[in-house]
Amino acid sequence: MDIVPQPESPQFAATYRCIRGCPGSYDVFSVMYRCPACGGLLEVAHDDAALAAARDGAGWRALFETRLRGSGVWAKREWVLPQLPEEKIVTLGEGWTSLVPVPQLGRDLGAGDLWVKQCGISHTGSFKDLGMTVLVSAVNQIMSAAGSTVRAVACASTGDTSAALAAYGAAAGIPTIVFLPAGKVTTAQLIQPISHGARVLALDTDFDGCMAIVQEVTQDDSIYLANSMNSLRVEGQKTVGIEICQQLDWQAPDWIVLPSGNLGNISALAKGLALARKLGLIDRLPRLVAAQAQKANPLYLAYRRGFDRLEPVTAGATSASAIRIGNPVSYEKAVAALRDFDGLVEQAGEDELADACALADRRGLYTDPHTGVALAVARKLAAQGVIEAGQRTVVISTAHGLKFSEFKVGYHEGTLAEVVARRRNPPVELPADSRLVKDEIRRWLDET
Ligand SMILES: *Cc1c(COP(=O)(O)O)cnc(C)c1O
Ligand SMILES: [Zn+2]
């Protein structure tokens, strides 16, 4: 029942490898993001044989069941970054978010046995915390090595990555620089890195423009790149799928639906589930659904063409601003994940996502627009008969609704573009007169 992470597990070594299979493996504490041979993304490769030799599936399950408190990421440390020294871990208590059954919402959406994994109920209000604890811990290790040239960490962000990087950087005492598309993140998302002391650079461009700049800025080794093309983040984020199965008594659901933008998270989800299957903790895999906003849907378009190739789009304005991405960096990894998990891609428009959020809020959730995209997609797939009656679906909620007050206010004021706010609930303004107040309450109760 340890809260503090245990000593490193040096018997399990993880290394960087090229996702396209080029030969060579590299130190995970070196400053590199792409394969030197082909320019493809790297991934962290674990010593699966050593992990399998150490324990069978039941043994790993039993071990993980002894670590139900503290960080949900470092509870799986042998599978995450085994050679990280314990004292280098930077944690803010991420993971172990609740998995909530929402049968009434399931009925509203026609989506049967529906559950929501509340990744947004986390330190900085999004699932990005899961990956950032690993990346910042690794940077903590890198910067402590003699001769390290790294002086700061930087990322481009649609708002949640920057909040997480700034918080974990502040916790570690590591300077952070965040690149944001000016005017395209929420007030809450903007004030988070400002409060943590990050250097906030608001650029007159979109996310894809910020991404291009941060890649140039991080070419020299003094600034470490924290975007999800950095595969260390994937190692933390991959624990979410394992955690979902654990919370379901090691039974995989039939479907997992998640909102997808840069496509790091779906790649991570698949990587964790595949390892859990390979090491015998679960006996089957769920099918995965990448849910995209119609205004930012390059993966959906590629899917409809049989994944022939990625054709970047200019992402349009959507309430789901954290997935407003036209040129997703982890496209190749996501396609591999979707193929391995018999997955599919579906999209939702502004009205569909807003209505799904409103329905969910009426059932007691407080739903961010990205989770709205995933719920709307679950509704669509159920209506099409793809998600069948009786099947269990887990929707990954990626952020906290409280970060998206502008969206909620816009909905209830009826000012969101392309949205018919069917469930508007504006406040009633009345004089301070008890008779009028009683009349109003009676009228309302009669209507409900
Ligand atoms: C980052 C983010 C996503 C998308 O994750 P990707 O890994 O970029 O696909 C979805 N929802 C929220 C709230 C996010 O912050
Ligand atoms: Zn390569």
Side-chain angles (χ1 to χ4, degrees):
M1 301 301 277
D2 44 284
I3 296 178
V4 178
Q6 293 300 295
E8 69 239 64
S9 313
Q11 73 270 35
F12 308 120
T15 56
Y16 279 145
R17 300 258 174 80
C18 172
I19 62 164
R20 296 177 184 156
C22 297
S25 62
Y26 312 94
D27 181 358
V28 287
F29 300 128
S30 61
V31 181
M32 62 188 302
Y33 321 105
R34 288 187 178 275
C35 168
C38 76
L41 292 186
L42 299 170
E43 67 180 347
V44 175
H46 290 269
D47 187 345
D48 293 356
L51 291 169
R55 290 167 191 270
D56 63 6
W60 282 111
R61 284 197 299 258
L63 177 68
F64 292 161
E65 292 297 331
T66 67
R67 298 174 178 165
L68 300 178
R69 290 189 293 166
S71 168
V73 171
W74 299 106
K76 312 278 189 304
R77 55 190 165 267
E78 293 87 352
W79 296 18
V80 171
L81 204 56
Q83 66 268 58
L84 183 78
E86 176 192 357
E87 69 276 11
K88 291 296 188 287
I89 290 178
V90 182
T91 176
L92 290 166
E94 55 290 323
W96 289 132
T97 52
S98 46
L99 176 65
V100 187
V102 287
Q104 291 164 317
L105 180 61
R107 267 197 300 281
D108 295 344
L109 298 174
D113 183 15
L114 186 65
W115 297 62
V116 174
K117 175 66 170 166
Q118 292 281 33
C119 290
I121 302 181
S122 178
H123 177 60
T124 71
S126 88
F127 78 85
K128 299 296 200 296
D129 293 349
L130 300 173
M132 219 45 97
T133 183
V134 178
L135 182 138
V136 173
S137 298
V139 174
N140 201 24
Q141 165 75 7
I142 291 169
M143 288 177 76
S144 70
S148 169
T149 55
V150 175
R151 299 179 58 196
V153 195
C155 72
S157 179
T158 53
D160 288 331
T161 296
S162 41
L165 178 64
Y168 283 84
I174 296 172
T176 57
I177 307 163
V178 308
F179 294 75
L180 297 173
K184 298 189 178 76
V185 306
T186 71
T187 306
Q189 290 171 324
L190 177 60
I191 204 67
Q192 286 180 291
I194 289 174
S195 304
H196 292 306
R199 180 50 87 194
V200 177
L201 304 174
L203 304 189
D204 183 20
T205 180
D206 57 7
F207 169 81
D208 297 289
C210 289
M211 192 67 218
I213 302 258
V214 81
Q215 291 196 53
E216 275 183 46
V217 169
T218 53
Q219 299 240 306
D220 84 77
D221 285 355
S222 62
I223 301 174
Y224 190 84
L225 176 64
N227 277 93
S228 61
M229 63 186 283
N230 183 315
S231 49
L232 292 172
R233 279 177 52 201
V234 165
E235 293 309 296
Q237 288 174 204
K238 84 179 183 193
T239 59
V240 72
I242 308 164
E243 203 175 278
I244 288 170
C245 295
Q246 186 172 6
Q247 288 170 313
L248 294 171
D249 290 329
W250 299 107
Q251 299 295 318
D254 297 295
W255 297 90
I256 299 180
V257 185
L258 78 170
S260 299
N262 223 5
L263 309 180
N265 207 27
I266 187 158
S267 317
L269 178 66
K271 194 164 186 253
L273 289 164
L275 189 56
R277 172 81 206 273
K278 187 168 185 184
L279 296 181
L281 285 76
I282 51 174
D283 57 14
R284 65 183 186 112
L285 295 175
R287 294 182 68 185
L288 301 187
V289 181
Q292 290 220 289
Q294 203 168 328
K295 300 274 180 147
N297 62 352
L299 182 70
Y300 175 75
L301 295 176
Y303 169 73
R304 295 300 297 259
R305 296 189 308 264
F307 288 133
D308 55 350
R309 72 193 166 280
L310 172 65
E311 283 191 2
V313 302
T314 300
T318 169
S319 291
S321 50
I323 53 174
R324 184 178 178 180
I325 293 173
N327 189 14
V329 71
S330 295
Y331 172 79
E332 269 178 75
K333 285 186 182 179
V335 171
L338 288 164
R339 290 203 164 120
D340 289 349
F341 283 74
D342 193 13
L344 44 94
V345 186
E346 185 53 89
Q347 63 178 2
E350 296 303 295
D351 188 53
E352 293 170 316
L353 75 87
D355 195 51
C357 282
L359 276 171
D361 289 2
R362 286 295 179 91
R363 293 299 187 185
L365 300 176
Y366 194 64
T367 313
D368 68 287
H370 320 86
T371 303
V373 170
L375 289 171
V377 158
R379 183 186 211 173
K380 256 188 196 176
L381 293 175
Q384 293 163 8
V386 177
I387 294 179
E388 294 168 27
Q391 288 190 317
R392 173 167 290 175
T393 301
V394 174
V395 163
I396 296 188
S397 174
T398 45
H400 202 300
L402 286 172
K403 292 179 94 169
F404 300 89
S405 296
E406 292 93 336
F407 166 70
K408 298 289 186 197
V409 171
Y411 183 85
H412 290 286
E413 287 184 342
T415 56
L416 294 181
E418 299 173 42
V419 171
V420 183
R422 293 168 197 80
R423 293 167 231 282
R424 276 185 70 199
N425 185 30
V428 180
E429 293 182 11
L430 288 174
D433 176 329
S434 63
R435 199 177 46 81
L436 292 177
V437 169
K438 284 181 187 166
D439 285 351
E440 170 58 29
I441 292 173
R442 209 167 298 121
R443 199 174 318 123
W444 178 73
L445 284 174
D446 288 346
E447 276 169 19
T448 350

